[in-house]
Amino acid sequence: MTDAPTKPDAIDVTLNGVTFEAEPGELLIDACERNGVYIPRFCYHPRMTPVGMCRMCLVEVDTGRGAALQPSCMLTCTPGMTVQTESELTKKAQDGVLEFLLINHPLDCPVCDKGGECPLQDQTMSYGPGESRFVEQKRHFEKPIPVNENVYLDRERCILCDRCTRFASEVAGDPLIHFQDRGSNTQVNTFPDEPFASYFSGNTVQICPVGALTAKPYRFKARPWDLEEVISTYPNPMGDRISVQSSRDKVLRIQGVDSDATNWGWLTDRDRFSFEAIHHPERLTVPLVHGDDLGNADAAGDNLVAASWAVALQQAGAVITAALDKGGPDAVGVLGGARLSNEAQYAWAKLAKSVIGTDNVDAQLDDGLPAAMVASYPRRTLNDALAPGSAVVLMSEDPKEQFGTLYLRLRHALQKRDITLVELNPTASGLGRLTTVGLHPRPGETGVVARALVDAVAGALPTADVGGVSAAAISAAATAVHGRPVTVVCGRASLAESASPTIDAAAALRELPGAAFLFALRRGNSHGAIDMGLAPGLLPGRVGLGATPEGWAAAPTVTGLDARGMLEAAVDGDLSVLVLVGSDPLADFPDADLASRALTTCDTVIAVDLFANLSVASADIVFPAAGFAETAGTHTNFEGRVSPLTRKVTAPGVARPDWVIASDLAFELGADLGFDSVESVFDEIVTVAPSHAGLSFADVAADNDGALVRGPTALDFGAPEPTAVVPLDGYSLRLVTDHRLYDNATLVQHCPSMANLADVAQLSLHPLDADRLGAGAGSLVTVISAAGSIELPVRPDPAVPRGSGVIPLNRSGADPRELIDHRAVVTDIRVASS
């Protein structure tokens, strides 16, 4: 505390006889905590609107009209304010509030999951009466009741703090849990036949100040004092900061950690409950090679059998050496790597490009954007992008489905800050009515609409519809972004069209004054892979091919093949060894037929993975890898923010970290990558990568927000030629395929709490299109394209623009990848009754 204000706009407040400085508009409860005095609270949460419901934060305040009890969570600091948090009146008020809260509270702490980390327990001990004067019967409810698949509600414990209901309505936008009834019968509950179907419901469990809401995956698994905790980063594109909690070498819970730069403490349920996959019994635990029916690795056979690391590495080294002798470095390709840490990505990039000599590496599976484009376009932080007075152009998959905490941050900024949002996608996102202007071009025509928007901002307003978007909507969007710093959230909105329309649109939007980008690549650490050189045509540090990095024996000089190029080369017999590093092209590559033919034709497939997925089952040599929470390192989010990944538990069996596997394989090839720890890999990255120059591991770990990497790049992606699209005829629809939060992905299906949440594949049509085709809700239709046909039910959806049909990827039932025409910019489909 200070004796007098030193900032020109500071407000002097006297707290318990000592003067301190408060910020203009700062809530009293925050100002006191910032200056070392904690005021108890239940309903208040710094990331939500204060409501003053619990009254636990009552303190004695004198603003010049005499002292009175006031809720500090609702009171902003004013000059000359005098505050007493330790007066007898304040203590009596806090004592009374707790006594009333405990009237009906069941006091079942020994069996409550919140016991040991419960604010009600703590504050009762610190501020409460010590004993109860009430001897009457407490109220009782059915307990617990599931409000959804993973969250249980015990209404007897609820203190009506309004945290869960506020989160659901104002943060998540899913107002599905409410106050019901009145007076002493007031309770929190969902309405009949309307479960708390939110992608973010687990956050209500974390912020509940009592044990009213509990998470099914954690219930009765451990007590807080049994848990060991480390702060880490969830390896998703946002780089959400988390707490990983374990007991007896087993992860039991993941909690969000408040990072102002990223997730604000929130998590999607998919990320929160994904810890179940870490210890799944189907994890790969030993290397596998082809052997006989008796399980002998030394005998010839078609079965994958357990082998030692020495045998598996020796076989892998032999086949790579043979491929180099026969076809040179171009005969080897490395596909995948977005699952890995930065250090593991660097190790695999160094192995591929310096030891093997191939530039055939790609961490994106033909569902991203050119690495040179991502590396060279100007970036902006999320906080700057969502600053008051900014504009955001959303051109990616629905953030609610793929980038959950980005969706929450966007939603907050649209509600609480003066920002504008223009959607430039074939379909509307989950942001709904908060969107300022929705531009929904026909699939494949995003580029021409973006060009029209840029021209309109410059003053050349359109006079006719462009790409299926009205001139009025384009003019309104131009008005919405004019004069504001524009951030483009850029990614592939649909995999049924090529990347060209998105590239065209990004190149056009780059011309907006002060435009910058946040590239929404859906795979976890895609940005780290690009920074580490795990992409064709790049070396570590966002550097193009040319000079050999310091400490490398050599480096490619000719740009190699991307993911599609490698699979096509395998089919043609030009690529004989394909290394899959945490990738499953059979299930995840947009062209399922190409992936199948490539893995069948390729001489040798080496897989490095966590589970025996479809592609691992087709491999010849399999290495078990250590996964999330089992290995240390760093992660790079879509801003270029590097934050630490912390090891908490032991990998199963003899699984090894990915960087160790790369080092061991290099040794089999007669080279030494020179790494003996994660820190040694990071130290070499800092030396080799210009983007990371001057960064230290301590810098990354010291700040809860991590360290921002914005190193300069000499790359110039250039302006592409505009993509021509064939006009849509009057009988067809344009196909849109995208991802949803819950699907048949390997991680989701190995989490019991989420495995049954994925819906079946459906064709979503605008109701008018469905009526025109005579296809009612649930009716079975045949969808036909130039590439193939599938049969699936119809789902009318007014959010789908007319002339389009939407089919989610990787769901049970029909596979829309069979429809995608990869020779065309877009895929046109026709619908017939089955």
Side-chain angles (χ1 to χ4, degrees):
M1 295 187 184
T2 58
D3 294 329
T6 56
K7 296 180 181 179
D9 57 350
I11 296 170
D12 60 317
V13 175
T14 302
L15 173 62
N16 297 333
V18 181
T19 300
F20 72 90
E21 294 180 357
E23 302 291 337
E26 187 174 19
L27 290 174
L28 178 58
I29 193 171
D30 292 332
C32 291
E33 184 170 5
R34 187 170 53 81
N35 285 274
V37 176
Y38 178 81
I39 297 176
R41 78 292 299 264
F42 292 116
C43 68
Y44 177 69
H45 190 285
R47 296 298 187 186
M48 294 189 289
T49 303
V51 290
M53 290 191 65
C54 72
R55 317 309 280 183
M56 190 63 205
C57 69
L58 286 172
V59 292
E60 196 173 357
V61 181
D62 186 352
T63 58
R65 298 182 179 182
L69 287 173
Q70 299 191 51
S72 57
C73 73
M74 299 291 289
L75 195 64
T76 56
C77 295
T78 57
M81 176 183 284
T82 300
V83 184
Q84 290 289 337
T85 66
E86 300 175 357
S87 68
E88 288 303 317
L89 185 60
T90 298
K91 292 180 179 179
K92 181 62 177 174
Q94 293 168 346
D95 183 294
V97 169
L98 283 165
E99 187 173 24
F100 276 110
L101 288 177
L102 294 173
I103 289 174
N104 277 307
H105 198 79
L107 301 179
D108 58 348
C109 305
V111 296
C112 177
D113 258 352
K114 200 74 172 182
E117 57 181 5
C118 176
L120 182 59
Q121 280 183 333
D122 297 339
Q123 293 181 36
T124 298
M125 295 296 293
S126 300
Y127 308 98
E131 62 182 29
S132 175
R133 294 180 290 171
F134 290 86
V135 295
E136 289 78 13
Q137 179 73 22
K138 295 176 183 284
R139 67 180 181 177
H140 295 283
F141 291 105
E142 176 188 353
K143 56 184 293 185
I145 58 173
V147 293
N148 65 23
E149 293 280 347
N150 292 311
V151 177
Y152 283 9
L153 171 64
D154 189 327
R155 291 166 289 173
E156 293 176 358
R157 299 174 184 160
C158 179
I159 61 172
L160 304 179
C161 70
D162 198 30
R163 279 192 173 191
C164 59
T165 55
R166 269 181 295 154
F167 175 85
S169 61
E170 70 180 56
V171 178
D174 300 318
L176 300 170
I177 187 167
H178 315 261
F179 286 127
Q180 298 178 13
D181 299 331
R182 301 181 68 180
S184 61
N185 293 320
T186 304
Q187 59 176 294
V188 165
N189 208 338
T190 58
F191 288 123
D193 301 320
E194 289 189 20
F196 188 18
S198 172
Y199 289 167
F200 310 98
S201 64
N203 292 286
T204 63
V205 177
Q206 181 172 338
I207 64 177
C208 180
V210 291
L213 291 167
T214 52
K216 179 182 175 183
Y218 175 73
R219 280 171 60 86
F220 309 127
K221 295 293 176 59
R223 284 299 192 183
W225 51 83
D226 294 327
L227 298 175
E228 298 175 343
E229 176 185 63
V230 295
I231 304 302
S232 186
T233 303
Y234 196 86
N236 60 18
M238 274 284 287
D240 294 336
R241 296 292 283 151
I242 60 171
S243 162
V244 182
Q245 300 175 357
S246 69
S247 179
R248 300 175 182 86
D249 203 33
K250 185 175 182 179
V251 176
L252 296 180
R253 186 166 65 174
I254 292 176
Q255 300 277 61
V257 169
D258 196 325
S259 166
D260 188 68
T262 54
N263 58 316
W264 285 10
W266 312 130
L267 291 174
T268 65
D269 288 357
R270 174 170 173 162
D271 295 343
R272 182 180 297 274
F273 301 132
S274 64
F275 69 86
E276 293 178 317
I278 297 174
H279 306 288
H280 197 282
E282 293 181 8
R283 280 287 302 274
L284 293 171
T285 58
V286 296
L288 304 173
V289 299
H290 277 167
D292 62 18
D293 294 339
L294 299 177
N296 297 316
D298 296 329
D302 296 328
N303 297 318
L304 282 175
V305 300
S308 66
W309 274 100
V311 169
L313 287 168
Q314 187 275 328
Q315 289 192 16
V319 296
I320 292 174
T321 300
L324 294 176
D325 292 341
K326 180 181 179 181
D330 290 341
V332 181
V334 176
L335 183 59
R339 172 183 61 79
L340 279 53
S341 67
N342 293 332
E343 291 73 16
Q345 290 169 340
Y346 177 80
W348 276 97
K350 186 176 181 180
L351 168 64
K353 300 192 176 190
S354 179
V355 177
I356 298 175
T358 182
D359 194 51
N360 299 337
V361 295
D362 196 355
Q364 302 183 78
L365 266 64
D366 202 38
D367 57 1
L369 294 168
M373 175 182 172
V374 175
S376 62
Y377 273 35
R379 300 190 192 187
R380 182 169 285 136
T381 67
L382 184 58
N383 278 343
D384 289 342
L386 302 182
S390 299
V392 174
V393 176
L394 180 62
M395 190 172 65
S396 71
E397 288 188 284
D398 187 346
K400 188 173 185 178
E401 298 286 349
Q402 283 298 299
F403 314 102
T405 47
L406 171 62
Y407 163 80
L408 297 182
R409 293 290 307 273
L410 282 168
R411 194 172 188 281
H412 175 271
L414 288 166
Q415 288 181 304
K416 306 294 185 181
R417 302 178 180 180
D418 175 30
I419 79 160
T420 59
L421 175 68
V422 174
E423 287 188 0
L424 185 56
N425 288 325
T427 58
S429 78
L431 289 162
R433 290 175 293 178
L434 295 175
T435 301
T436 310
V437 182
L439 305 180
H440 303 300
R442 286 187 293 264
E445 299 185 56
T446 308
V448 295
V449 175
R451 168 51 58 192
L453 173 61
V454 172
D455 293 342
V457 171
L461 298 177
T463 58
D465 293 357
V466 179
V469 179
S470 70
I474 294 173
S475 299
T479 301
V481 304
H482 182 71
R484 295 171 178 255
V486 176
T487 302
V488 183
V489 178
C490 183
R492 296 276 294 279
S494 169
L495 296 186
E497 61 183 54
S498 72
S500 300
T502 304
I503 296 170
D504 293 347
L509 294 171
R510 190 179 182 183
E511 299 176 16
L512 291 173
F517 289 77
L518 287 171
F519 283 101
L521 307 178
R522 61 174 295 267
R523 299 182 186 279
N525 198 15
S526 294
H527 287 274
I530 291 171
D531 285 356
M532 296 301 102
L534 205 61
L538 292 182
L539 294 174
R542 306 172 195 166
V543 175
L545 300 181
T548 300
E550 181 179 347
W552 286 30
T557 57
V558 178
T559 300
L561 302 173
D562 62 7
R564 174 169 289 278
M566 281 186 269
L567 295 181
E568 289 174 345
V571 171
D572 294 339
D574 298 327
L575 190 144
S576 56
V577 175
L578 183 63
V579 184
L580 305 178
V581 184
S583 65
D584 183 8
L586 289 181
D588 211 17
F589 193 79
D591 191 340
D593 177 66
L594 175 62
S596 177
R597 288 186 290 122
L599 267 62
T600 302
T601 307
C602 191
D603 292 342
T604 304
V605 176
I606 302 172
V608 183
D609 221 311
L610 309 178
F611 295 95
N613 53 43
L614 290 175
S615 299
V616 166
S618 299
D620 302 287
I621 302 169
V622 180
F623 295 124
F628 168 68
E630 297 167 348
T631 183
T634 58
H635 174 87
T636 304
N637 80 346
F638 68 166
E639 301 171 302
R641 187 176 302 277
V642 180
S643 53
L645 296 164
T646 309
R647 179 180 179 271
K648 187 66 197 73
V649 294
T650 306
V654 294
R656 296 179 179 179
D658 294 276
W659 69 267
V660 174
I661 298 173
S663 298
D664 291 343
L665 190 52
F667 188 77
E668 284 293 330
L669 296 174
D672 184 359
L673 297 186
F675 307 140
D676 56 15
S677 66
V678 167
E679 290 78 10
S680 67
V681 185
F682 187 90
D683 291 341
E684 183 167 317
I685 292 171
V686 172
T687 302
V688 169
S691 59
H692 291 59
L695 192 64
S696 71
F697 205 85
D699 293 334
V700 173
D703 193 327
N704 186 48
D705 292 340
L708 197 63
V709 173
R710 285 179 168 176
T713 177
L715 294 172
D716 182 11
F717 184 68
E721 290 293 326
T723 304
V725 179
V726 177
L728 181 66
D729 63 45
Y731 301 96
S732 299
L733 302 170
R734 285 268 154 87
L735 178 64
V736 176
T737 59
D738 56 9
H739 294 87
R740 304 297 162 90
L741 190 75
Y742 298 119
D743 56 15
N744 290 332
T746 300
L747 185 70
V748 173
Q749 293 307 308
H750 284 88
C751 296
S753 63
M754 297 188 288
N756 64 339
L757 297 181
D759 203 350
V760 298
Q762 295 175 307
L763 171 65
S764 295
L765 299 173
H766 190 280
L768 294 179
D769 283 334
D771 290 343
R772 176 174 62 87
L773 295 168
S779 62
L780 208 60
V781 297
T782 300
V783 183
I784 306 165
S785 75
S789 65
I790 58 175
E791 191 176 69
L792 73 174
V794 167
R795 174 178 172 267
D797 183 357
V800 177
R802 295 201 63 182
S804 296
V806 180
I807 307 176
L809 287 157
N810 205 13
R811 288 196 166 185
S812 300
D815 187 351
R817 296 184 298 169
E818 297 180 20
L819 298 174
I820 300 175
D821 183 358
H822 296 279
R823 299 164 299 178
V825 176
V826 292
T827 297
D828 288 347
I829 57 174
R830 295 196 178 189
V831 179
S833 298
S834 294

